[in-house]
Amino acid sequence: MATHSLQDMRQQASVAAKVFIQRDYTNGTVCHFQTKFPSELESRINKQQFEETVRTLNNLYAEAEKLGSQSYIEGCLACLTAYIIFLCMETHYEKVLKKIAKYIQEQNEKIYAPQGLLLTDPIERGLRVIEVTIFEERSLTR
Amino acid sequence: MPGVSSKSRGRGPSSSPLPHTTVPTARPLRPSRYVPVSAATFFLVGSTTLFFCFTCPWLSERFSVAVPIYNGVIFLFVLANFCLATFMDPGVFPRAEEDEDKEDDFRAPLYKTVDIRGIQVRMKWCSTCRFYRPPRCSHCSVCDNCVEDFDHHCPWVNNCIGRRNYRYFFLFLLSLTAHIMAVFGFGLLFILYHRQSVDRLHAIVTLAVMCVAGLFFIPVAGLTGFHIVLVARGRTTNEQVTGKFRGGVNPFTNGCWNNVSHVLCSSQAPRYLGRKKCVQSVCVQPPFLRPQLTEAQLAAKILDNGIQGDLLEMMESQSCDAEPPPPPKPELRYPGIPRGNPEECRLLNKAPPTPTMYKYRPSYSPGKNHTALTHAYANQGRWEEAGRGGRAEGRLGPGASPGYSLGGRSYPSFSDPTVLSGGASRSSSSTHASAGGVHVSEATTASASFKSLANQTPPPHHPSRNGSLSYESLLAGGDDSDKVGAGPREVSSGRPCTPAAGGHNSSFLMSQHRDAETHSQSSQSPHHYHHSSHHHHSFLHRSSSSTSSSPPPPPQREHPLGELHPGSHPPSANHSSAPPLPHHHHHHHHHHHGHHHHHHSTSSSSTSRPPRFAAPHAPPHHAYPYRTRSTDTPLGSSSTSTTHPPRSPHPPPLGKSLSYSSAAAAEMQYRLVRKASASAGANAAGVGGGGGGGGSGGMGGGEIQMKPLSRANGCRPFSSTSSCSAPSSPCHPVSVSARPGVAYPSSALTQSPAHKPQTGGVRKVTGVGGTTYEISV
């Protein structure tokens, strides 16, 4: 077809770069990400906004790893049932991970995607890094 | 579960650590892996069934029905924990994506230092998994995965014990101890009441079960006690065995109570592999919003007459001024974006300041992608930059030349970068094979000696050098690596560097190197690490003990283990022997460290122990630093076996290596070199006047080895490239001496002064990273 629809003329986004927010190990092996604002994002997003996101994530991970009554009860129950309960019940950590996934999704939709960024859930990277994908505009030229 | 994953790897991404690919990694099915776990299952289930069938009926009648119920509950607990310990993912990290790796350019260091509660901890680059291993993470060579909070690889459950399943392993040990005690106790009760009718079938079976129980009780109880101590102290087996925190502070402990509650009561850690892929439903569509410009930026814009250039410059300078501008990368996946490395700058604060320092981060797993890497290497046209300090070699590990890696055994060579650029990779690979043995030392030297070269002070100084905690001092390599980073720079400037002193210094360093190496057979162990830091004692201790017993030790080493701990973890394979073995020694001899070093041939996997020298991980005989380092030796183990099949999977024991006069060590070296030369004798001959071939082929003694070194003024018998005409004779004395794990260097070293290279007072050597420097000999 010789005609080009409006969609073809639309600009596309392509991955320009990826920034990796590394883990902060100053407090041991607890899951905590560095809140330092990477320079590559300086032009793309508000520093406070970004740091707020990372801080919230850190809090959520701290909650997941907390040695509280829930994790204790869970452990006892699992022991008593010869761990069969793991087949039925979702562990505390998994629950919090779901919360985190939802939070990241929501942050992406509201804040990051409109600015051409995308956060990847760190669980996909083994909780080692938060991957921030930077998109750039690339117009289709025909 | 690693055991299953090996088979199911091809089935899909969910079972593979590979992030998104479904390419099955060809892991050979090794039935020997399943022998210990099958035996354990057989004994456990079989004995308990016999107990329930023959002993329990009478007991329940005679005493109470609670007896079989109690035993049943305990046995159920044992089985449940055993199954979970066996089948649960220990916390395997998925392989990092390619994009993550590109952030670190060629000059990325092998180690990143991180500060944990005031203690410097090194994170090592895992070339298999392509990321810097988090603290406490280690790469298991058996499972070929990096495991979080790696404890050890247990052959009895045929699985790694890591963060996720340590609790179940620990509870398995506790419950198994209780179960064995119960079975033995009740069996004894049965026998006591049946003294008159011992010839009856029931009594005989009970006696047999009691024997099995008694036999297994000692190692199991010992291991249980060991792990109780570990849990209380907040250490992993890996850390205990490698002596990381000996005399120092453990940064990962939170106090006994917190440690115990963390192990027992923390929420089940999530697994990283095989997760449901969360579909990103967010649509990223331009036009993109931009954040509000600050006033300063606005002002700049105004002054610019609307030209964006200054603004961009400002941003770029912000990101890049933390470190010297890195050399242009040959491959820029995402051009046009200011590539500052803020995190890396921060993390590298303790690392060598200059980016050219060390780039021996192996970028591939040896034995697999050698060819590919070499090609990629060549294709990327890095040769022209090689002169910048061996940047070309960065990816391959210390001093490795791409061609070098082509050979089956790739040893880092001190090939001149200019030589490499000549497309000598092919020839180098062939030649390198010939001088395999020698290369090993070289390789070791390349990486390790690279650091050691830069450091004028021998390792023993390290502990005292830093006022920091013993963890750091034990690391020892931390400083070394920092210094090493500076090494090539200085070296390239042409001043006589450490290699000059290398004759002695390197040998000294090498001894520790070897020291460290000897234990780490296929990959590990921290023992060398320990030795490095306490080389004084170890050296004296070992040398005295090792002089006469070089040959016997390797085979002997295994016997005691087998005899002493029949039920424990016999070293089934170099890499698979679990740490419990040393534990038993510890348990039995009450000085585990000493015995660990002597007997602990292999740790379960390459630990994240920071090697004092870069090469320590290499199997001693090959001493191929980056290779083992990269893969934590699946190759290491194989190479070990290939090089010393008759002897033992272990390299010369620590003590042996230390002894310069160790005949066995020399003999082994000769064998190694002979083997290496045999494989590529022709090539070796072609190399630089055949010095290498002659040298490697003429294994008559250390002297012979040294001859080609000294003879080959301009040629590098050990170098990987035969066509290298550049005056980059590898620092033979240094490389040879620094070769870890084998006494070969020692003999060579001792003779090197005698064999004063006839080249003259100054020799040109290509160090790690391809920098050429002059050694005043």
Side-chain angles (χ1 to χ4, degrees):
Chain A
M1 292 281 279
T3 57
H4 298 282
S5 63
L6 274 174
Q7 272 104 8
D8 295 342
M9 307 303 249
R10 186 177 56 197
Q11 282 188 327
Q12 299 265 319
S14 67
V15 178
K18 286 193 182 184
V19 185
F20 296 95
I21 314 297
Q22 300 286 337
R23 280 268 292 270
D24 178 13
Y25 294 108
T26 47
N27 284 325
T29 47
V30 280
C31 186
H32 189 90
F33 289 94
Q34 295 176 359
T35 49
K36 185 176 183 297
F37 188 59
S39 55
E40 291 92 336
L41 299 180
E42 261 167 37
S43 63
R44 306 300 292 252
I45 192 158
N46 204 356
K47 176 176 165 160
Q48 277 75 29
Q49 183 64 58
F50 178 79
E51 284 181 1
E52 176 62 33
T53 305
V54 178
R55 223 172 275 129
T56 311
L57 284 176
N58 286 337
N59 290 337
L60 285 170
Y61 283 117
E63 183 198 327
E65 295 181 350
K66 194 174 58 142
L67 296 179
S69 56
Q70 176 160 12
S71 59
Y72 181 70
I73 291 169
E74 210 174 71
C76 285
L77 208 60
C79 226
L80 293 174
T81 62
Y83 310 112
I84 294 174
I85 198 136
F86 283 149
L87 299 170
C88 329
M89 201 179 74
E90 200 179 50
T91 69
H92 171 64
Y93 210 117
E94 287 288 341
K95 287 191 192 128
V96 179
L97 283 181
K98 275 211 175 127
K99 230 186 344 175
I100 289 170
K102 222 162 51 139
Y103 174 75
I104 288 179
Q105 168 95 353
E106 170 202 323
Q107 289 281 297
N108 274 335
E109 276 171 13
K110 290 195 193 146
I111 297 162
Y112 291 90
Q115 297 186 326
L117 299 173
L118 201 65
L119 292 181
T120 306
D121 196 339
I123 195 72
E124 292 175 25
R125 301 283 174 265
L127 289 184
R128 290 180 300 105
V129 289
I130 301 176
E131 188 179 306
V132 184
T133 315
I134 303 173
F135 290 90
E136 66 176 4
E137 294 142 5
R138 176 178 60 87
S139 39
L140 283 181
T141 52
R142 275 289 155 167
Chain B
M1 59 187 135
V4 172
S5 67
S6 63
K7 297 176 199 160
S8 62
R9 185 103 24 118
R11 274 192 243 141
S14 62
S15 53
S16 156
L18 300 170
H20 299 297
T21 66
T22 57
V23 175
T25 40
R27 282 191 53 208
L29 197 62
R30 279 191 226 126
S32 64
R33 277 181 62 174
Y34 302 98
V35 169
V37 64
S38 314
T41 313
F42 169 75
F43 277 114
L44 177 67
V45 175
S47 309
T48 311
T49 309
L50 289 176
F51 173 80
F52 278 118
C53 293
F54 289 89
T55 315
C56 275
W58 179 85
L59 283 170
S60 66
E61 284 170 31
R62 177 69 176 79
F63 295 99
S64 146
V65 78
V67 167
I69 290 175
Y70 167 77
N71 280 297
V73 166
I74 291 206
F75 181 58
L76 189 66
F77 202 57
V78 170
L79 274 186
N81 285 305
F82 180 70
C83 287
L84 276 187
T86 304
F87 297 115
M88 179 170 272
D89 179 330
V92 174
F93 282 111
R95 304 277 200 262
E97 303 238 340
E98 292 209 354
D99 293 343
E100 207 179 319
D101 181 24
K102 79 154 167 55
E103 222 190 33
D104 300 307
D105 61 33
F106 275 131
R107 299 180 184 272
L110 186 62
Y111 293 98
K112 260 189 192 177
T113 320
V114 98
D115 192 39
I116 301 181
R117 297 186 190 166
I119 298 168
Q120 297 294 310
V121 174
R122 278 199 314 192
M123 303 197 321
K124 192 179 175 191
W125 171 260
C126 183
S127 56
T128 314
C129 305
R130 322 285 295 166
F131 53 75
Y132 285 95
R133 295 187 196 134
R136 302 194 116 179
C137 162
S138 189
H139 190 96
C140 175
S141 52
V142 180
C143 312
D144 197 27
N145 290 319
C146 265
V147 175
E148 188 173 12
D149 286 1
F150 179 80
D151 193 82
H152 67 283
H153 180 94
C154 184
W156 302 102
V157 299
N158 191 30
N159 195 10
C160 275
I161 307 298
R163 177 183 176 191
R164 295 187 76 234
N165 62 354
Y166 182 77
R167 178 190 329 179
Y168 309 113
F169 176 76
F170 182 65
L171 290 174
F172 166 64
L173 287 179
L174 285 177
S175 54
L176 185 63
T177 309
H179 180 61
I180 290 177
M181 289 197 301
V183 164
F184 189 86
F186 285 116
L188 188 64
L189 200 63
F190 181 96
I191 292 295
L192 286 176
Y193 275 80
H194 286 80
R195 266 172 300 203
Q196 274 66 43
S197 49
V198 186
D199 52 341
R200 276 185 58 220
L201 176 68
H202 288 244
I204 292 171
V205 168
T206 305
L207 272 175
V209 169
M210 274 176 67
C211 282
V212 169
L215 205 65
F216 279 101
F217 176 72
I218 295 171
V220 170
L223 193 60
T224 306
F226 178 74
H227 277 273
I228 289 174
V229 170
L230 284 187
V231 166
R233 292 168 110 178
R235 296 185 188 183
T236 63
T237 304
N238 190 21
E239 288 162 353
Q240 178 70 31
V241 160
T242 58
K244 279 202 174 98
F245 308 130
R246 190 176 338 136
V249 181
N250 179 0
F252 304 108
T253 183
N254 300 314
C256 181
W257 172 252
N258 285 331
N259 293 338
V260 173
S261 57
H262 174 72
V263 166
L264 298 179
C265 309
S266 66
S267 182
Q268 175 64 54
R271 89 193 120 106
Y272 301 129
L273 300 183
R275 292 190 76 84
K276 262 196 311 196
K277 270 276 180 261
C278 159
V279 179
Q280 215 25 290
S281 61
V282 177
C283 177
V284 182
Q285 276 279 339
F288 296 139
L289 308 170
R290 296 290 162 133
Q292 300 283 344
L293 293 176
T294 64
E295 267 193 13
Q297 288 169 333
L298 280 169
K301 264 185 99 103
I302 291 165
L303 293 171
D304 275 345
N305 294 335
I307 301 171
Q308 296 276 338
D310 284 3
L311 184 59
L312 288 174
E313 270 175 30
M314 194 163 58
M315 283 161 36
E316 284 192 272
S317 66
Q318 285 167 7
S319 59
C320 294
D321 59 9
E323 60 175 8
K329 297 180 184 134
E331 184 193 16
L332 274 179
R333 279 188 216 172
Y334 303 120
I337 292 287
R339 305 257 358 249
N341 295 316
E343 274 89 21
E344 217 174 80
C345 296
R346 192 158 85 94
L347 286 172
L348 286 175
N349 277 346
K350 309 278 183 232
T354 54
T356 51
M357 276 208 261
Y358 37 102
K359 343 168 238 264
Y360 11 76
R361 205 181 65 199
S363 58
Y364 66 98
S365 34
K368 293 189 177 135
N369 306 324
H370 286 200
T371 312
L373 183 67
T374 308
H375 291 163
Y377 218 79
N379 290 343
Q380 282 157 1
R382 293 207 199 106
W383 304 121
E384 64 278 12
E385 296 172 13
R388 282 244 211 162
R391 177 219 238 149
E393 302 180 6
R395 285 284 176 186
L396 293 178
S401 70
Y404 207 57
S405 64
L406 275 182
R409 301 175 265 169
S410 22
Y411 307 114
S413 73
F414 292 107
S415 48
D416 194 311
T418 59
V419 176
L420 293 176
S421 57
S425 55
R426 304 240 186 264
S427 53
S428 67
S429 60
S430 58
T431 46
H432 107 69
S434 63
V438 184
H439 280 285
V440 176
S441 63
E442 226 183 47
T444 310
T445 311
S447 53
S449 65
F450 184 77
K451 298 177 181 178
S452 57
L453 287 177
N455 293 334
Q456 293 289 342
T457 57
H461 293 187
H462 296 171
S464 54
R465 180 192 321 164
N466 243 334
S468 68
L469 321 153
S470 59
Y471 189 88
E472 169 58 4
S473 64
L474 282 176
L475 284 179
D479 285 8
D480 283 343
S481 49
D482 290 351
K483 291 206 175 170
V484 177
R489 267 286 184 231
E490 293 169 8
V491 169
S492 56
S493 68
R495 71 173 171 91
C497 70
T498 317
H504 312 285
N505 201 14
S506 334
S507 62
F508 182 82
L509 294 171
M510 177 246 340
S511 66
Q512 329 224 338
H513 214 350
R514 261 181 326 178
D515 230 349
E517 267 332 289
T518 45
H519 292 302
S520 63
Q521 194 148 32
S522 42
S523 48
Q524 11 241 320
S525 243
H527 301 302
H528 70 274
Y529 187 61
H530 153 75
H531 288 293
S532 321
S533 34
H534 307 279
H535 74 286
H536 305 283
H537 318 287
S538 53
F539 180 78
L540 295 170
H541 173 64
R542 264 71 224 177
S543 53
S544 57
S545 62
S546 65
T547 38
S548 52
S549 55
S550 344
Q556 271 175 4
R557 247 200 298 181
E558 301 192 1
H559 298 327
L561 296 177
E563 288 155 9
L564 283 174
H565 315 288
S568 71
H569 311 224
S572 50
N574 297 347
H575 42 268
S576 63
S577 97
L581 188 53
H583 306 333
H584 288 290
H585 284 280
H586 165 67
H587 191 71
H588 284 268
H589 306 284
H590 303 292
H591 30 243
H592 59 88
H593 289 301
H595 289 275
H596 284 172
H597 297 294
H598 284 293
H599 299 291
H600 177 77
S601 49
T602 59
S603 311
S604 43
S605 70
S606 69
T607 64
S608 49
R609 70 172 169 208
R612 179 172 275 276
F613 305 94
H617 301 284
H621 42 277
H622 286 269
Y624 186 42
Y626 83 84
R627 195 168 97 160
T628 38
R629 218 182 315 130
S630 60
T631 58
D632 293 340
T633 74
L635 297 165
S637 49
S638 61
S639 60
T640 337
S641 49
T642 52
T643 46
H644 300 288
R647 277 206 183 219
S648 75
H650 312 299
L654 180 66
K656 306 334 175 226
S657 64
L658 279 185
S659 158
Y660 283 152
S661 55
S662 159
E667 183 190 292
M668 256 191 293
Q669 296 158 16
Y670 302 153
R671 206 190 312 170
L672 259 179
V673 181
R674 199 187 296 276
K675 237 185 189 181
S677 63
S679 55
N683 290 332
V687 180
S696 49
M699 282 304 107
E703 303 178 9
I704 296 177
Q705 289 163 358
M706 288 309 298
K707 271 186 201 155
L709 296 182
S710 49
R711 239 195 308 128
N713 182 11
C715 91
R716 294 175 294 134
F718 303 107
S719 84
S720 54
T721 58
S722 53
S723 57
C724 147
S725 53
S728 57
S729 47
C731 43
H732 304 301
V734 181
S735 61
V736 169
S737 63
R739 185 162 155 221
V742 187
Y744 158 62
S746 63
S747 58
L749 194 62
T750 49
Q751 287 153 9
S752 64
H755 282 274
K756 235 6 171 1
Q758 289 98 16
T759 57
V762 171
R763 289 180 59 187
K764 281 204 176 164
V765 173
T766 309
V768 174
T771 53
T772 309
Y773 47 86
E774 298 179 6
I775 307 168
S776 50
V777 185

